[in-house]
Amino acid sequence: MLRKVAIVSAHQTKFEEKKADERFQEMCYPLVRKCLDDTGLVFVPGRGIDFAITCSDDFFDQRTISDGPMGDLVGTGRWGGEEKVACDGAEAIQYAAAGIASGHYDIVIVLAHAKESQVDSRNIVTFHAFEPFYTRFLGMDYTQALGLQAESYMNKWGVTEKQLAAIAVRAAKNGAKNPNAQRTGSIKVDDVMKSKVVVSPIKELDLYPVSDGAVCMILAEETKARVLTDKPVWITGYGNCYDSYYLGDRNLYESTSLPKAAWSAYRIAGIIDPMEEFDIAEISVQATYQEPLWYEGLGLAEQGKGMELFESGKTDMGGKLPVNPSGGQLCGNPLLLSGIVRGAEAFLQLRGEANGYQVKGAGRALVHGTAGPAGQFHTVLVLENDKAQEGGKS
């Protein structure tokens, strides 16, 4: 029987366009320190943390074995091993949870970092994700893939650029209350429409900004979680799934992998109707058109009805299922970190600690991360607090 797993501590940096005055280690260490202080854990064999999962990318860090410099921060070499995830950070949470649930470890520290500002253009990095024989020579990168997917989705379902601009407006409005958000403040639909076209039909304010930052978490099995904190946040479901590697093999106006990842997580957590059973959702949205598209993949809306759900107000703060109370990735999180930031934000909400943007009575959260071109890979997590576990969900 799998063991219960909880997040017992989580901290994140403020996300910024360029953290030029901090090396990776300087950016990450304060978060590790806060997590150790929260829990009283130390890096001594037999006295706590069993294992470490780090999340980073060689290309973004511009060095091979990008997790090497992180080893000292998470205790590697003094007490145990470390594994690296070079994918979306939600996958690092899932990896740690699986290690604990299976009985291999009792307590795992997760540390994720990325500085997109390290390179002249993040498109240079994502260009190398494409295979070299048929698509790389075309100059493809993730931003161009987003443009192709946006065109496909908008043409298929009749969604306009102006409708999508409203998603950027709401994200900035929510992000204005989040002290860690990068892009905040009041913007209007006209501001989005007049912003620079990055790749048609996506404009600068439709797209997540270049961002630097880090996240640290500690996860533990049930007995130790109860000792380490009085407000554990339980991971009660998780799933992931890949779509086809070749964009030409996919109908970009829909996702076949996201529903499989979502319903795998929902099945484990016993979720039957996600729109009714979640209190909040933190969803990774790299460009505005993805929000309605992911609603459909996550089972929150019927296919082609995602924009209708957004415009209904049900996913606004104060609505039936507030989506991205933090402002989400559109307010600035690196590509690699969006999923784990969504997890850290859900952790705050379920502990009642999202000061200034708290969803009252939140007991169960949907967390989503994505990686690869145009949402090729998805991870979905279900998080719950004790009240939801006891059947007292809001």
Side-chain angles (χ1 to χ4, degrees), residues 3-168:
R3 302 192 302 175
K4 289 182 68 174
V5 182
I7 303 171
V8 297
S9 178
H11 291 279
Q12 54 185 301
T13 63
K14 178 174 175 58
F15 290 89
E16 299 175 285
E17 182 179 358
K18 188 177 182 69
K19 289 182 178 291
D21 58 340
E22 293 178 317
R23 297 187 303 155
F24 300 119
Q25 296 92 333
E26 291 170 325
M27 186 171 69
C28 292
Y29 180 71
L31 306 181
V32 175
R33 187 69 263 165
K34 288 179 181 177
C35 285
L36 295 179
D37 290 345
D38 282 351
T39 57
L41 292 167
V42 292
F43 291 125
V44 175
R47 290 183 56 188
I49 296 170
D50 299 307
F51 201 70
I53 306 289
T54 62
C55 177
S56 61
D57 181 89
D58 289 8
F59 280 79
F60 274 118
D61 280 11
Q62 299 187 60
R63 67 177 76 189
T64 57
I65 316 178
S66 58
D67 53 332
M70 298 296 113
D72 286 345
L73 300 184
V74 293
T76 305
R78 283 176 281 172
W79 54 270
E82 175 262 348
E83 291 283 355
K84 170 184 165 183
V85 168
C87 189
D88 176 72
E91 190 63 13
I93 301 176
Q94 175 168 329
Y95 192 173
I100 295 170
S102 63
H104 282 80
Y105 314 111
D106 287 342
I107 303 175
V108 177
I109 187 168
V110 179
L111 179 63
H113 76 272
K115 294 182 77 171
E116 292 185 335
S117 68
Q118 285 274 113
V119 291
D120 288 340
S121 166
R122 62 188 175 198
N123 294 336
I124 295 173
V125 173
T126 60
F127 161 79
H128 288 90
F130 287 87
E131 55 77 29
F133 299 108
Y134 297 100
T135 50
R136 193 182 294 176
F137 80 95
L138 296 173
M140 288 294 295
D141 56 49
Y142 284 10
T143 303
Q144 293 194 42
L146 293 175
L148 292 172
Q149 190 173 43
E151 287 280 6
S152 178
Y153 183 79
M154 294 166 69
N155 289 334
K156 179 68 176 178
W157 305 116
V159 175
T160 68
E161 294 180 38
K162 197 168 185 178
Q163 284 179 293
L164 295 177
I167 294 173

Side-chain angles (χ1 to χ4, degrees), residues 171-194:
K173 180 181 177 183
N174 288 354
K177 297 178 181 177
N178 178 0
N180 293 320
Q182 175 179 329
R183 178 189 282 164
T184 63
S186 177
I187 61 171
K188 299 177 181 177
V189 167
D190 279 352
D191 297 326
V192 182
M193 297 296 290
K194 292 175 181 176

